[in-house]
Amino acid sequence: MSEPKAPTPAPGDTYKGWLFKWTNYIKGYQRRWFVLSNGLLSYYRTQAEMGHTCRGTINLATANIAVEDSCNFVISNGGTQTYHLKASSEVERQRWITALELAKAKAFRMQAESDDSGDDSTPPAAGQGAGSRNSEVQSTLRTLGSKVEDLSTCNDLIAKHGSALQRSLSELEGVRLGGETSEKIRQVTERATLFRITSNAMINACRDFLALAQTHSKRWQKALQAEREQRVRLEETLEQLAKQHNHLERAFRGATVLPASQSNPAIDSKGPVSGKGDASDEDEENEFFDACEDVQEFITVPADPKYHRRSGSNVSGISSELGMDDGTTSLDEQSLASNPESPQSQELVPVRKRRTRIPDKPNYSLNLWSIMKNCIGKELSKIPMPVNFNEPLSMLQRLSEDLEYYELLDRAAKCQSSLEQMCYVAAFTVSSYSTTVHRTGKPFNPLLGETFELDRVQESGYRSLCEQVSHHPPAAAHHAISERGWTLRQEIALASKFRGKYLSIMPLGSIHCIFEKSTNHYTWKKVTTTVHNIIVGKLWIDQSGEIDVVNHKTGDRCHLKFAPYSYFSRDVARKVTGVVTDKDGKAHYVLSGTWDEKMEYSRVMQSSRGGENGADGRQKTVYQTLKAKELWRKTPLPEGAENMYYFSTLALTLNELEEGVAPTDSRRRPDQRLMEQGRWEEANAEKQRLEEKQRTVRREREREANRAASPSEEGKESADGALIEDSISDSPLKSEEVEIASEPSETTYKTDTDETSSDLSLSTETLHGSHPPAYSSGHQDNYKSMWFEQLVDPVTGEPTHIYKGGYWEAKEQGNWDSCPDIF
């Protein structure tokens, strides 16, 4: 650090001058007159303001001064005030830094003198901030360091003078009595005096060092304790502020209609934001913008009042004028916003009362050492992971939770317009993520051949079946059919990438929704789920990416964008926006909302180019819309959900025992049942038993496949070491083969799992089949699913498992003889 230090005033003097202060992202740095006096740094717009208007003041005794580069430096008092300053030159910046440091040291000493000294002195108050305590510790360490240097110097001098004294005494012994005697005695006396002085200095330095250490010992202990307590208080305060902030956002959204903004929502709906400026600055500098924000792709403004005066009876006329007629009746505004239920659905009464509670989640602490000590000497693939990471539901049951808001598809089936139907289908795609916001527990990975049925015909008019159809790679097939005219099917496999601080989970596969009456066929894919704070901190989940919902019959399309969470964003958290267009690309509806709360739609009356430029330099599209109306709103979680894994009302019923289900049903899985009952140790033991049983079945199946493929080698069996047996597949920490990707911070995990449908292990290459799993080169698996068969989808051209029938008939007859014994 060889920066030039220009002459500066004495600590008690007043120091004045011009500096450039950061105001906001619009105005940038502005020239201000700064005055440093009595440990306070104040600033004014001009020198003339010094007599009457101070724009801001910061106390240096509790401030932290940091140098950014040759001309920039920052002064902060711990959060409430932060000045980003820039000098005209490096020399000028050094003058200010030196003056500020001297003034800060004097102000700190004056503040310390006012406190009690010695052992009874109290640590700095919590309000002083971390900067003052850090400065005090650094100052004391410098003092102690100088004392140690003094001790070292004294030690060298004592050694030097002691050696000289010893030589003089030796010489004195050999001197004859005579003229030389007086001279030698004088030298010995001088050297003895020097030795005594040096020894006294050493003793005094040791005494000062000991006194200083004793003085600050208890003070530091108290300061450390106060720091810990303050940290706890700050964490609690931040958590409370986050809750209040979320509540205010929700209240604000509830009181404001999105399309009613009279100007660019990138400014109006977001309001003032704190950044490098501070609250004490002038009013016109309070609002500024984050240049890094991902702005929305379009702007909505209220439509001309003439559109609002139209009655519901002539909406179809508007559609004709705007070229919206696609051969069907146009959207009736009232029918889209309302939630009509057919008389048939109102007359249905559930045949049984579903449970509303499960046993509370035990408060078992996860002792990582107890896991690690059992792993010593074992292969990574043999490490059993506890159920502490899980929730008492399987992946098949989580897949069935997509049907929680099935009413959206019921209403879509009644729509006459394909564009209206698209709005409901888009809302349904968003609603499937609403249960994930607090669900950080990992579902159990299904065993191969495991099934889950959800029969809600009498209550809701639909029945659903899921089956684990493969574990090389893990994949689950799902088929649901409703008496109200729709069918939903999907096959989902999961890829994941661990990126150090977070885990990205990418679902692979398409979801199909077919409506019987209109024969409209919709497809879409899921967005990326990100689990944050994998290593340290509280887990939280975000959804980000884009979804294209496509109607393959009409060519209609809905492009949905899930905005990723950003600390610097002024927008609503978990925001989703979308535009419904016809086959010609003409916009008809704008969708907006959040994936954890609600979705709204706005009818587009006119659209035009001419909004502000987007991130790519192109002009945004401006949509003139009618008033927003609600499509979907999340049902509140049941009371006490925080003690029941944050399960929704539907999720609480999924693992409820039912008569007549298949022996492979997830409800019959013993380790999952034991975990739900709070018997986690027994669940861990049962989980290991099931995994080992699946390995044994798999080995036997591969032997049979190999014998069938090559009868001449019937007696040969593959080496046990060639099998990759993964007990750690339930954990986000598992890995069998680790590839370091091109980015240094990105690691891709590829694992062959015995417990299938691993949502945390498969790479995209493995799932697409371009790189087969490591074990597959020497093994064959002739497993075929019970209720699904693999076909090429005629719409997407992808190989997928489609329900082939027979399950519900077997349930009616009570004949499960063909089901394997997997539990």
Side-chain angles (χ1 to χ4, degrees), residues 7-19:
T8 57
D13 294 344
T14 299
Y15 194 58
K16 305 176 182 178
W18 290 100
L19 289 171

Side-chain angles (χ1 to χ4, degrees), residues 141-154 205 209:
L141 289 176
R142 285 194 295 269
T143 305
L144 290 174
S146 66
K147 294 295 181 184
V148 171
E149 291 178 2
D150 292 344
L151 289 173
S152 177
T153 304
C154 290
F209 181 83

